[in-house]
Structures are given as structure tokens and as C-alpha cells.
Amino acid sequence: MGKKSSNKFGPQQMPAAATATAGVPRPSLEKLIPVWSASFENASKVYQSFDMSLDIHVEPDWLRSVCERFQSDGDTDLARWIEQFADVCKELVRFKERLCDEASERWNEANKLASAVEVREQVIATEQQALEVERAALALAQADFSGDQQALAKRKSELLAAERSLNMRETNAQAGFVEQNEDALRQLEDRQRQMVQQHEIQLQRLQEEKRQLDSELSSVARRLAEVKFNCTETEAERVSQLDQREHEIKQSKMELDRARSRLDREWSEIKTAEVEMEQRIATEMAAERTSHAQTIFSLESQRDRAWNKAEELKKQLADMQELKLALGERTGREILEQLDSLTQENRVLKRDLEQSDTAEFQRENEYLRNSKADLERDLSALRPELDELRRELSSKRVASTELEAVAREKRVLEQHKNTLAVHIDALESRIEQLTSAQKTQTPFPAMSLMDSDREYRASMELEEVPDLKLFAEELQHRIAKAEKHIELFYPLEDIRVLLGGLSMSQLHVFQGISGTGKTSLAKAFAKAMGGFCTDIAVQAGWRDRDDLLGNYNAFERRFYEKDCLQALYKAQTPRWQDTCNVILLDEMNLSRPEQYFAEFLSALEKNNRDERLISLSETALPNAPTMLHEGRKILVPGNVWFIGTANHDETTNELADKTYDRAHVMTLPKQDHRFDIKKMEPVNYSYRSLRKAFDRAREGRKVEVVELLKRLTSHAFTEQLGSQFALGWGNRFEKQALDFIPVMQACGASSGDALDHLLSTRVMRQGKVTGRYNVGVEAVRNLKDALEAFWVETNLDGEPQKSLELLDADIRRLDGRS
């Protein structure tokens, strides 16, 4: 704004106006001249309203001559266009005025709202100042009251000290002076007996002094009595005044307490009102801001549209202004006369041109120009070729000298080649010797050693697992004494859950806070059973199975065997093939098991235990250990359980559902359960006998468990899990329940305890049902009621304590009480 427009008014805009006004009757000059003048005036007003300097002033005579000229030529398009332009200018002025009025009204409304808010804030500030004054007065009154209490206490202490002083003086006067007189008399009598004759004069004088002392003593006693009497009356009066003052102070204190409580209530009410007012003001201000934002947005849209129209009009005005500048100071009549003369001259020149030979000359000139252009193109094409030939000639001269130098270098390189060929032959022979030596070596040195070592080839005596209930009790005591320097106390319930999990899955997850004995339980179980435990510390950077098993180096033809791979092979040797062994994955969720343990998760899902194979290489390796399948695959034997410990903090990863669904999960609380440990001789239990005990328990209680699962599947609890939480279970859960529940019952637990453990760890674990934020508290309450109803209807022992604790925690969290 404020700058003159430089847009051109082109003749290409004229036909559109002419087309739009075709067929309209031609207006008279008396109507056209005022309309055109008003159009230019309106255009000037529009420019000035937008702070742009433009003042269009048209002479009426010149305008009349222009109108006559256009009417004589039969062109009315410009007149129609100027009329429409005048209407548009008027509408723009009115539109801007409406916009200004509307903006001023909005501005006034905003100022009123701001004034109202300021008045409210001033009222609140005034009330706060008055409240602060009342608080200051209350503090002064409390200070005065405390000062009066201190003065009263000080005066009481002074009176008590004076009273004690008077009592002491009276006591001394009554007792102390008599004793002194008696001592003096005894001394005088002694001296009198000794010196009767020599000191008669002194005796008389002493007697006189005695009388004086008696008189003084009596006068002192009278004065003491008078002082005591006066002091007693004064003290009594002072005490009564103090009591009266104390009573008044107590009354004042009670009034101050009442005033303070009243002021506290008023202050709390004021604070509540202030908070409510602030909230209401904030809400109103937010609504007003939103309304103002919408209004501003609409105004800005209207303003943008108006500016677009103004820009179009500005362009048109610029074209008109340019037309005026092009015309200069000449009048329209002069321009029309000059146009007529030029038109006549043009007609004469055309006739002369048609009658002369100029056209032939022009054709010849054009032909010569084209020929010149062709020659110049040929010349420009030949010049690069000439330059190229010159450069090629100079390069060939240089190449002749370079060829001689290359020949000399070739002879030197041939000598070096012969020397290198000798060295290469020596290296090839050395590599062939090394390769031949390695062909006789095994790629698995540690595992091949197990094939020949007597320690792994010798078998050992193993004990049969007794009745599972008795075995669980014995195992509790054996685990407690499994470690040499520490006693481990695990409840019998946890031992039963552990045995049920061993029958259910080869993968276990022990979770809980640090220090609950997760690692110790895994190691102690292996020792108590007579097997071995391989401890593997999982690292945060593990990404694939090579981090767990090792990798094959093709150049060295050697497999770098890690502890896990050696433990899998060791469990298949004759010494350990019938023992219960453990591979401990300590802190297994420092990295993602779904990556480094993926092949094991897939292998453990196979029903045929002989097909649980892990490939170590793509092809068979020569001289492989005897128990590798096809010379490249390691079997995951059934007598090995993978036990992983998992802490949940900022350094670990959350286990995926596929890991949880395939594993048996135990949450170990802090152990504070102690018992008297029975001394037992160490034994080595047979894995096959443990598996037979599991099979017997499964076969004996299969019908009962199947019926329990049918009732659970058809109950409202399962229906709510599916409808409210989109959860259910399939064949894997039923298979695990058929393995887990019978063994738990055989170990002495109830079917309710076993089912509660499965539901709490498999179905309602954290993040699957509980701990979710997309469900309502009512849905969780209904699920809890359905679970309790199922327990009652099925006559299961006890209550589903673990599952109910999870649901209660969710209800408290959703209610906002946790």
C-alpha cells in the first residue's frame, strides 16, 4: 500500500468487455461523460482509501471528444467497461466501509470484555488487600496477647521470688538469731567462769549489749511482722488483679480464636471463590478467544478477498494511468487527427508498395541472408574439427616420447613380476600345507572332545522320582541346602508351581524385583536334581542366534562354540543324557529374546521332540561331532530347560506376547518364609523317571481337567473376555493346562490354585487384560464378578487370589485411588 501500481492495461482485456456488453443500446454523451468522470473519481477514492496516492482528473472537453470518437467508430465496449468499473469501485468503497464498521464493533466488544476482566481483577485484588490487612491486624493482636502473657508470667515469677525471700528472712530471724544468741551466752558463761574476777566490767558491758540486742531483735521481729502483713495485703490485691487480668486475657484469646477461625473460613471461602472465578474467567476467556479467533479468521478471509479485488482494480487503474501517460499532454482531438493522417499515409504507402518491385528485392535479400547463415554454420562446424586435428597432432608428438618411457618401465615391471611369482609359489605351497593340516582337524574342538573324553562317556547311577507330592516336599528341602554357603527358603507352593511348569514347557521366565532369588532358584534346582546349570549372561547388543550359539569361520574352518551350544551337546552325552539340566539366561530381556532366541522358540513348538533341531551351518561340516544331525544340526534335548530371569526397569525390554505364550511364567515375591530344613543325602534323579511321573499324573486326571476347561470355555467369564477385552485362548492354552493342572494336583495343590496361576500368567497378565487404558472400570468389575461366580459355580477350592489381586489393582487405578 502507498505505492503506485505499475501494471499495464493491455488491449487483450478489451474484447472480454466488448463481448460482455454486445447488443446493449448505445448510451448518449450526456450520460456517458458524468458516468466516466464519476468512475475516475471513484477509482481515486478507492486508491486513497487504501493509502495509495492516485488522483485522476479528466477534462470534460477532452472526455467529450473521446466519447464522440468512440461513438463515431461504433465502439461502445469501453464505455460499458468504464460503467462496470465505476460500479465495482463504488462497491469496493462500501465493502471497505462495512469492514471498517464491523472491525470497529469487534474491537469495541473486545475492549468491553477486557475492561470487564480488568474490573473483575481489580475487585479480586481489592478483596485480597482487605484480607491481607485483616491478617496483619490479627497478627498484631496475637503479638500483643503474647506480650501480655509474657509480662504476666514475668510478674508472677517476681512475686514468687519475693515471697520466697521473705519466708527465708523470717525463718532466719526466728531460728538463726536465737542460735547465735545462745552461742554467744555459752561463750560468755565459759569466759565468765574462767575470768570472773578479771572481766566483771566486760560482763556488765556484754549484758548491756545483750539487752540492746534483745531490744533490736524484738524491733526487728515487729518490723518483719509489719512488712509481712503489708506484703500479704499487697500481694493478695495484686493476685486478684492478675487473676482478673488473666480472665480478661483468656476471654480476649477466645474471641481472637473465634475471629481467627472465622477469618480462616472466610479466607478459604475467598480462595475457593477466587479459584472458581479464575476457572470461570479462564473458560470465558478461552471461549471468547476462540470466538475472536473465528471472527478474525473470517475477517481475514473477507480482507483477503477484498485485497484480491483491490489488486485487480489496481491493475486496471494502472493500465488506465499508463494510457493517460502515453497520451501525454495531447488532447484527444489531436490524437484522432494524427491517427486519421497516419491511416491515410498507410493506405498510400500500401498502394505504392504494391505497384513497385520492392517485393522482388525483399525476396532476393531474404535469399542472400539465408545463404550467409548457411555458410556461417558450415564455418562454425569446421573450426572445431580443425582445432581437434591440431590437438591430436601435438598429442601424438608427446606420445612418441612417452612410449619410450613406457617400454623402459615395462622391462622393470617384468623383473618385479618374476620376483613376485617366486614368492607367490612359496605362499601357495605354504597355504596348501596349512589347508591339508586343517582338513584333519574338527571344526568343533570342544564338542568333539566330549565324544572321546571318559568323563562324558561314563554313565552313572540315577534315582527314580518318587510320588510327586512327596517329591515336591523333598525338593523344597534339597533346594534349601543346594548351595554351600547360603540357605534358600522357597514356599512349597512355589516348588509345586515350578514342577507344574517343568511339565508344561521347556522355557521358563522368572520375574520379580531384584533380590527375590530368581537366579538362585534355577541353579539350586539343577544341583538338587543332580544335573548341571550353564549360566549365560545376556548382553544388551544381542541380535541373532550367533550371539547365543557361536559362529562358523569359513577361512579357519572352525566353529566358535559358545557355552549354550556346548551345554546342549553336553546334555546328550551318556553322562548327562538322563539328568535334569538347566541353561540359565540371566537378565534375558536386556536384549529381545524374539531375535536371539527366535529359532529356539520355533523349535520348542514342535510336538515331536526328535525334530527340535537348530541348524549351525548351511552345509554339512567335515569331521563333525557324532551327535550332530546331518553333520550340521544340534538337537534341543528334552532334559534341558531354558530358564530366563527378567527384571522390569528402564534398562530392559518388554517381552513380546509370542515369548510369554510359549513360556511358563513365575513371579517370585520377596522370600520371608522360613522352615526347619531336613538333612538329606545328595541324589541324582533320572529325567526319564520325572517325565514318567508327569505322564502318570496327566493320564490320571485328564478327564477332570478337560471337563473343567469345557465349563470355563462356556462360562460368562470367557464370553466377557472375548466381548469386552477381545481376548481368548486356543489349542496351546488347553495343551498347557492339560500338562500343568494335573501335575500341580499330583504335587498336592488344588485345581483352583493351578487354574488361578494359569489365568493370572497367561490370560490376565500385565498389559494384556490388566494395566490396559482402553477399558472402563465397570468392565473390569464385571469381569471380576464373573470370575468369582465361575469359582463358586464350579466348586473350586479357595479363591483365584492371584487373578483377583490383578483385577483389584486395575479397579483401584481406574478409580483414581492408586
Short mmCIF file of all heavy atoms in Angstrom, two decimals, residues 159-172 224 227-228 231-232 235:
data_model
loop_
_atom_site.label_atom_id
_atom_site.label_comp_id
_atom_site.label_asym_id
_atom_site.label_seq_id
_atom_site.Cartn_x
_atom_site.Cartn_y
_atom_site.Cartn_z
N LEU A 159 6.94 -12.06 91.87
CA LEU A 159 6.22 -12.16 93.16
C LEU A 159 6.60 -13.43 93.90
O LEU A 159 6.78 -13.43 95.12
CB LEU A 159 4.71 -12.14 92.90
CG LEU A 159 4.13 -10.78 92.46
CD1 LEU A 159 2.66 -10.92 92.12
CD2 LEU A 159 4.32 -9.74 93.58
N LEU A 160 6.74 -14.53 93.18
CA LEU A 160 7.14 -15.77 93.84
C LEU A 160 8.53 -15.66 94.42
O LEU A 160 8.81 -16.14 95.54
CB LEU A 160 7.08 -16.92 92.84
CG LEU A 160 5.67 -17.34 92.38
CD1 LEU A 160 5.77 -18.38 91.27
CD2 LEU A 160 4.89 -17.90 93.58
N ALA A 161 9.44 -15.00 93.72
CA ALA A 161 10.81 -14.82 94.24
C ALA A 161 10.80 -13.94 95.50
O ALA A 161 11.50 -14.22 96.48
CB ALA A 161 11.69 -14.19 93.16
N ALA A 162 9.98 -12.87 95.48
CA ALA A 162 9.90 -12.00 96.67
C ALA A 162 9.34 -12.75 97.88
O ALA A 162 9.82 -12.62 99.00
CB ALA A 162 9.03 -10.78 96.35
N GLU A 163 8.31 -13.57 97.59
CA GLU A 163 7.71 -14.33 98.68
C GLU A 163 8.70 -15.31 99.28
O GLU A 163 8.81 -15.46 100.51
CB GLU A 163 6.47 -15.06 98.18
CG GLU A 163 5.71 -15.80 99.27
CD GLU A 163 4.46 -16.46 98.73
OE1 GLU A 163 4.23 -16.35 97.50
OE2 GLU A 163 3.72 -17.06 99.52
N ARG A 164 9.45 -16.01 98.38
CA ARG A 164 10.45 -16.94 98.91
C ARG A 164 11.52 -16.21 99.72
O ARG A 164 11.99 -16.70 100.75
CB ARG A 164 11.10 -17.70 97.73
CG ARG A 164 10.21 -18.78 97.15
CD ARG A 164 11.02 -19.72 96.26
NE ARG A 164 11.57 -19.03 95.12
CZ ARG A 164 10.95 -18.87 93.95
NH1 ARG A 164 9.75 -19.39 93.80
NH2 ARG A 164 11.53 -18.21 92.98
N SER A 165 11.91 -15.00 99.30
CA SER A 165 12.92 -14.23 100.04
C SER A 165 12.43 -13.83 101.42
O SER A 165 13.16 -13.93 102.42
CB SER A 165 13.31 -12.98 99.22
OG SER A 165 14.23 -12.19 99.93
N LEU A 166 11.15 -13.40 101.49
CA LEU A 166 10.58 -13.01 102.80
C LEU A 166 10.49 -14.22 103.73
O LEU A 166 10.77 -14.12 104.94
CB LEU A 166 9.20 -12.40 102.59
CG LEU A 166 9.19 -10.99 101.93
CD1 LEU A 166 7.75 -10.56 101.66
CD2 LEU A 166 9.87 -9.99 102.86
N ASN A 167 10.07 -15.34 103.20
CA ASN A 167 9.98 -16.54 104.04
C ASN A 167 11.34 -16.92 104.57
O ASN A 167 11.49 -17.32 105.75
CB ASN A 167 9.39 -17.69 103.23
CG ASN A 167 7.92 -17.46 102.93
OD1 ASN A 167 7.23 -16.78 103.70
ND2 ASN A 167 7.43 -18.01 101.82
N MET A 168 12.38 -16.84 103.75
CA MET A 168 13.72 -17.16 104.20
C MET A 168 14.19 -16.22 105.31
O MET A 168 14.79 -16.62 106.32
CB MET A 168 14.68 -17.12 103.03
CG MET A 168 14.48 -18.25 102.01
SD MET A 168 14.89 -19.85 102.70
CE MET A 168 16.64 -19.63 102.97
N ARG A 169 13.89 -14.92 105.08
CA ARG A 169 14.31 -13.95 106.10
C ARG A 169 13.58 -14.17 107.42
O ARG A 169 14.16 -14.08 108.50
CB ARG A 169 14.05 -12.54 105.57
CG ARG A 169 14.97 -12.15 104.41
CD ARG A 169 14.63 -10.80 103.83
NE ARG A 169 14.85 -9.77 104.85
CZ ARG A 169 14.55 -8.46 104.67
NH1 ARG A 169 14.03 -8.09 103.53
NH2 ARG A 169 14.80 -7.59 105.62
N GLU A 170 12.28 -14.51 107.33
CA GLU A 170 11.53 -14.75 108.56
C GLU A 170 12.06 -15.98 109.27
O GLU A 170 12.20 -16.00 110.51
CB GLU A 170 10.05 -14.92 108.22
CG GLU A 170 9.16 -15.13 109.43
CD GLU A 170 7.71 -15.27 109.04
OE1 GLU A 170 7.42 -15.27 107.82
OE2 GLU A 170 6.87 -15.38 109.94
N THR A 171 12.35 -17.01 108.52
CA THR A 171 12.86 -18.25 109.13
C THR A 171 14.20 -18.01 109.80
O THR A 171 14.46 -18.48 110.94
CB THR A 171 12.99 -19.33 108.05
OG1 THR A 171 11.73 -19.52 107.43
CG2 THR A 171 13.46 -20.65 108.66
N ASN A 172 15.04 -17.27 109.13
CA ASN A 172 16.35 -16.95 109.72
C ASN A 172 16.19 -16.11 110.99
O ASN A 172 16.92 -16.28 111.97
CB ASN A 172 17.22 -16.22 108.72
CG ASN A 172 17.66 -17.13 107.59
OD1 ASN A 172 17.76 -18.34 107.79
ND2 ASN A 172 17.89 -16.58 106.41
N LEU A 224 9.45 -7.06 110.87
CA LEU A 224 9.19 -8.20 109.96
C LEU A 224 7.71 -8.54 109.89
O LEU A 224 7.17 -8.85 108.81
CB LEU A 224 9.99 -9.42 110.38
CG LEU A 224 11.50 -9.38 110.09
CD1 LEU A 224 12.17 -10.60 110.71
CD2 LEU A 224 11.76 -9.33 108.61
N VAL A 227 6.06 -5.80 107.89
CA VAL A 227 6.36 -5.96 106.45
C VAL A 227 5.60 -7.14 105.86
O VAL A 227 5.06 -7.10 104.75
CB VAL A 227 7.87 -6.15 106.26
CG1 VAL A 227 8.18 -6.57 104.82
CG2 VAL A 227 8.60 -4.85 106.57
N LYS A 228 5.58 -8.23 106.63
CA LYS A 228 4.87 -9.42 106.15
C LYS A 228 3.40 -9.13 105.98
O LYS A 228 2.77 -9.53 104.99
CB LYS A 228 5.09 -10.58 107.11
CG LYS A 228 4.42 -11.87 106.66
CD LYS A 228 4.70 -12.99 107.64
CE LYS A 228 4.01 -14.28 107.18
NZ LYS A 228 4.24 -15.36 108.12
N CYS A 231 2.99 -6.82 102.97
CA CYS A 231 3.25 -7.58 101.74
C CYS A 231 2.11 -8.54 101.42
O CYS A 231 1.76 -8.77 100.25
CB CYS A 231 4.56 -8.37 101.86
SG CYS A 231 6.01 -7.30 101.82
N THR A 232 1.54 -9.13 102.45
CA THR A 232 0.46 -10.09 102.21
C THR A 232 -0.74 -9.40 101.60
O THR A 232 -1.36 -9.89 100.65
CB THR A 232 0.08 -10.77 103.52
OG1 THR A 232 1.23 -11.41 104.07
CG2 THR A 232 -1.00 -11.82 103.29
N GLU A 235 0.15 -8.28 98.06
CA GLU A 235 0.22 -9.44 97.16
C GLU A 235 -1.16 -9.99 96.84
O GLU A 235 -1.44 -10.36 95.71
CB GLU A 235 1.08 -10.53 97.81
CG GLU A 235 1.26 -11.75 96.90
CD GLU A 235 2.09 -12.82 97.59
OE1 GLU A 235 2.52 -12.59 98.73
OE2 GLU A 235 2.30 -13.86 96.95
#
